[in-house]
Structure formats: structure tokens, C-alpha cells
Amino acid sequence: MAAMSDVLLRVGRLNYVWTNTESLLIYIIAHMLRVEKEAAIVVFLTLNTTRARIDLIERLAKLSATPAGEQKAILSMMARLKAESRMRNKYNHCIYSFDENGEISSTQLMRLIDDDTKVRYGKVEQMDQKELDSLEKSIAEIVDLSKTIWNFIHASPHVSGEL
């Protein structure tokens, strides 16, 4: 089982890199809407969820006015962000089970699964080295994605002066 400090350190890092990366969506919104940063912040904060922010950016990217190369880059970045959101959501919306030594032994998702005959909840997954490695991989991917988004933003003639 994983030491609680190891798990909490990684979950903290996951949240830190996630929040920093998600905030970069403000600049992508500014770029896509061709508005100042303050207006993009209002749009960003008006949309209450990551999913809504990603949906907006994807829909704007799919408009015919978006150059093909830009559309491809934006949709690729959003696909990567959505993929990593699964790990972030898992650790922000789970409960932890502990072993007899007080270490985290497993996670349980707090989501209902409703089929034709019964209602179940909470997929249980062991918290082992494999899971810690998955957390590290997700953190590294989010950091890499953040760099990709920054490169896109710095190349934008619409927001480079706003940085």
C-alpha cells in the first residue's frame, strides 16, 4: 500500500499543475474571441466547469473562420486536457480506504452506476506503485501540455501583448 504522504504529495502536485494549466484557457479564449484578457477572464469564470470551458474552445475552433492548422492544434490540446481530466477528477472526487497501518490502500469513486436492475456506486481501485506511477505520468503530461499551450499563446498575435 502507498504511504499517505506519497499519495497526498502527488495529488497536491496534480492539482497544482492542473490549475495552472486550466488557467491558460483564458488566453486561448482571448485568442479565439479576439478579446482582451479581462473579457476572456469573465467568459472563463462564467463557465463553471472545465468541461464547459473545453466545449466552448472546441466549438470556437470548429468555426469555419478558424484556420485549419490552428483548429488542429487547439483540438489536439483540448483532447489532451480532457484525457488528463479523468485522473484529476478521480482524485478530487474519490474517497480513500485505509489499511490497519493508516496508509491509503484504495480509492473509491463517488459516482453512481445505474443499469436496468440495480444501482451500484464507486469503482474501487488499489493504491499501489502502479497507481502512483500513473499519477506521476499524468502530472508530467499536464506539465508538457502546459508548455504546448504556452507556445501556442506566445505565437498568437492576438494575446502575445497581454502576457
Side-chain angles (χ1 to χ4, degrees), residues 26-41:
I26 292 168
Y27 295 102
I28 295 177
I29 292 168
H31 171 83
M32 298 300 298
L33 295 176
R34 299 194 179 13
V35 297
E36 293 181 5
K37 178 181 165 186
E38 289 74 25
I41 290 170

Side-chain angles (χ1 to χ4, degrees), residues 9-145:
L9 174 66
R10 285 170 176 86
V11 171
R13 286 180 41 227
L14 177 69
N15 282 310
Y16 172 77
V17 299
W18 178 268
T19 301
N20 284 340
T21 302
E22 185 177 9
S23 71
L24 296 179
L25 298 182
I26 292 168
Y27 295 102
I28 295 177
I29 292 168
H31 171 83
M32 298 300 298
L33 295 176
R34 299 194 179 13
V35 297
E36 293 181 5
K37 178 181 165 186
E38 289 74 25
I41 290 170
V42 169
V43 172
F44 179 88
L45 294 175
T46 300
L47 300 170
N48 290 340
T49 65
T50 301
R51 181 75 234 170
R53 294 167 182 150
I54 291 172
D55 285 348
L56 171 68
I57 291 169
E58 287 178 332
R59 289 170 182 158
L60 292 171
K62 292 174 184 177
L63 294 175
S64 61
T66 305
E70 187 174 297
Q71 179 188 65
K72 182 179 179 183
I74 291 169
L75 293 177
S76 172
M77 290 184 290
M78 294 306 100
R80 290 173 64 191
L81 191 59
K82 282 191 287 192
E84 296 310 318
S85 72
R86 298 181 84 186
M87 182 70 77
R88 182 252 184 200
N89 289 340
K90 172 182 176 177
Y91 282 96
N92 279 293
H93 302 291
C94 74
I95 58 172
Y96 298 96
S97 296
F98 299 89
D99 65 15
E100 62 278 353
N101 298 318
E103 301 297 344
I104 298 173
S105 60
S106 62
T107 60
Q108 184 171 14
L109 293 180
M110 296 310 297
R111 170 174 277 162
L112 290 174
I113 302 165
D114 191 358
D115 61 31
D116 292 338
T117 60
K118 60 185 168 186
V119 174
R120 295 175 287 134
Y121 67 92
K123 179 180 179 185
V124 175
E125 295 181 314
Q126 293 304 304
M127 180 53 72
D128 53 17
Q129 189 59 48
K130 180 181 173 187
E131 189 62 18
L132 290 175
D133 292 344
S134 292
L135 266 166
E136 285 293 339
K137 182 180 175 196
S138 187
I139 291 165
E141 173 59 21
I142 296 167
V143 168
D144 186 65
L145 175 58

